[in-house]
């Protein structure tokens, strides 16, 4: 994909479904897709075209994906950092943006801990003056479910670790789950299997000698 345009997904029914949900409904969605399935691009298409006053939160505090950093600087009025969220202190201007927000887009949500999600929930409840989860804001999580084996590995070393899908705020809300299947970066099955195995910490399972 060379440009941020929903037309790039014209033959991708799963991506178009997520886009329509974001544009036309208030439903919460968990968008799952491996590396290369266009999660960041789809998120930015929603940001570009939405009329709801959206906020993007990159749970990794990175700018992974094509054109994300410059695009966010152009189209997003406020990009809160996890540090700001932890402090729960915002200027009046930022408070106003949060109050007017109706759509929260979470990039790299798979690594979001239960504690950080609780902070986010607390902020939106506070500034929206609404005690339902996230103050009633629509939330769309973009993540890679293939990484959950890695999370379980972390939890084996820290049994107290909890991730966003285990939080009360998440479980109190109804969610649609959509898997992005088309891979725009890797077309070769061997490459896809290799990337998935590396991200899961199991690269030895890929047959490098007898690959097709």
């Amino acid at each position: 994909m060379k440009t941020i345009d929903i037309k790039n997904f014209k033959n991708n029914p799963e991506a178009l479904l997520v886009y329509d949900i974001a544009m036309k409904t208030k439903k919460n969605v968990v968008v799952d897709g491996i590396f290369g399935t266009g999660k960041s691009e789809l998120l930015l298409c929603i940001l570009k075209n939405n009329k709801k006053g959206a906020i993007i939160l990159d749970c990794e505090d990175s700018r992974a994906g094509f054109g994300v950093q410059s695009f966010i600087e152009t189209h997003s009025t406020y990009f809160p950092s996890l540090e700001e969220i932890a402090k729960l202190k915002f200027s009046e201007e930022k408070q106003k943006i949060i109050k007017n927000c109706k759509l929260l887009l979470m990039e790299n949500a798979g690594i979001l801990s239960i504690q950080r999600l609780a902070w986010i929930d607390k902020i939106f409840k506070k500034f929206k003056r609404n005690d339902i989860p996230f103050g009633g804001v629509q939330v769309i999580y973009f993540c890679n479910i293939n990484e959950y084996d890695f999370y379980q590995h972390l939890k084996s070393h820290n049994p107290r670790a909890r991730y966003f899908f285990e939080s009360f705020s998440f479980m109190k809300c109804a969610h649609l789950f959509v898997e992005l299947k088309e891979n725009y970066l890797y077309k070769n099955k061997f490459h896809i299997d290799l990337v998935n195995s590396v991200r899961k910490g199991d690269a030895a399972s890929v047959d490098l000698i007898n690959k097709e």
Side-chain angles (χ1 to χ4, degrees):
M1 296 186 185
K2 296 182 180 181
T3 59
I4 304 298
D5 193 329
I6 193 59
K7 292 180 181 178
N8 293 330
F9 296 97
K10 63 182 180 180
N11 297 317
N12 188 329
E14 293 81 16
L16 293 176
L17 173 61
V18 173
Y19 182 83
D20 285 342
I21 291 170
M23 294 295 114
K24 301 175 183 178
T25 79
K26 297 181 180 179
K27 296 178 180 178
N28 300 315
V29 190
V30 176
V31 183
D32 169 44
I34 66 172
F35 185 74
T37 50
K39 296 187 300 296
S40 293
E41 287 78 7
L42 178 58
L43 180 152
L44 294 179
C45 285
I46 294 171
L47 174 65
K48 177 181 178 181
N49 298 321
N50 91 95
K51 306 297 182 182
K52 297 182 178 181
I55 290 178
I56 286 184
L57 173 63
D58 191 326
C59 302
E60 202 172 41
D61 272 353
S62 67
R63 303 293 187 272
F66 169 75
V68 174
Q69 183 172 9
S70 59
F71 194 90
I72 287 175
E73 290 172 352
T74 302
H75 291 82
S76 183
T77 53
Y78 175 43
F79 189 95
S81 68
L82 294 178
E83 288 75 16
E84 286 178 301
I85 288 172
K87 293 176 182 177
L88 294 176
K89 294 181 179 179
F90 303 92
S91 67
E92 289 186 7
E93 179 183 0
K94 291 180 178 180
Q95 289 181 34
K96 183 178 179 180
I97 292 171
I98 294 172
K99 289 176 182 177
N100 292 332
C101 174
K102 295 181 181 178
L103 174 62
L104 177 60
L105 303 167
M106 293 199 190
E107 173 83 304
N108 297 309
I111 64 168
L112 187 66
S113 70
I114 192 172
Q115 294 86 356
R116 284 177 170 174
L117 191 62
W119 293 338
I120 298 168
D121 181 35
K122 184 176 180 179
I123 287 171
F124 279 90
K125 285 179 177 176
K126 176 181 178 180
F127 294 122
K128 301 288 283 187
R129 296 184 179 180
N130 191 329
D131 287 334
I132 66 175
F134 305 101
V137 169
Q138 180 183 15
V139 184
I140 301 181
Y141 304 82
F142 292 81
C143 57
N144 180 359
I145 206 166
N146 271 357
E147 296 174 332
Y148 289 174
D149 288 344
F150 175 65
Y151 305 148
Q152 294 300 318
H153 172 72
L154 291 180
K155 288 179 68 172
S156 69
H157 294 278
N158 180 10
R160 297 180 62 187
R162 296 290 185 273
Y163 295 91
F164 80 93
F165 45 85
E166 300 173 283
S167 74
F168 289 117
S169 299
F170 180 86
M171 291 189 288
K172 285 180 180 178
C173 299
H175 295 84
L176 297 174
F177 291 82
V178 180
E179 179 185 0
L180 301 180
K181 299 175 181 178
E182 182 172 351
N183 198 302
Y184 296 93
L185 187 60
Y186 297 107
K187 298 297 183 182
N188 185 292
K189 183 178 183 303
F190 167 75
H191 289 155
I192 295 174
D193 290 344
L194 180 60
V195 170
N196 286 338
S197 298
V198 169
R199 293 184 77 118
K200 292 164 60 176
D202 189 29
S205 66
V206 179
D207 189 347
L208 298 175
I209 297 177
N210 298 314
K211 70 181 182 68
E212 295 181 0

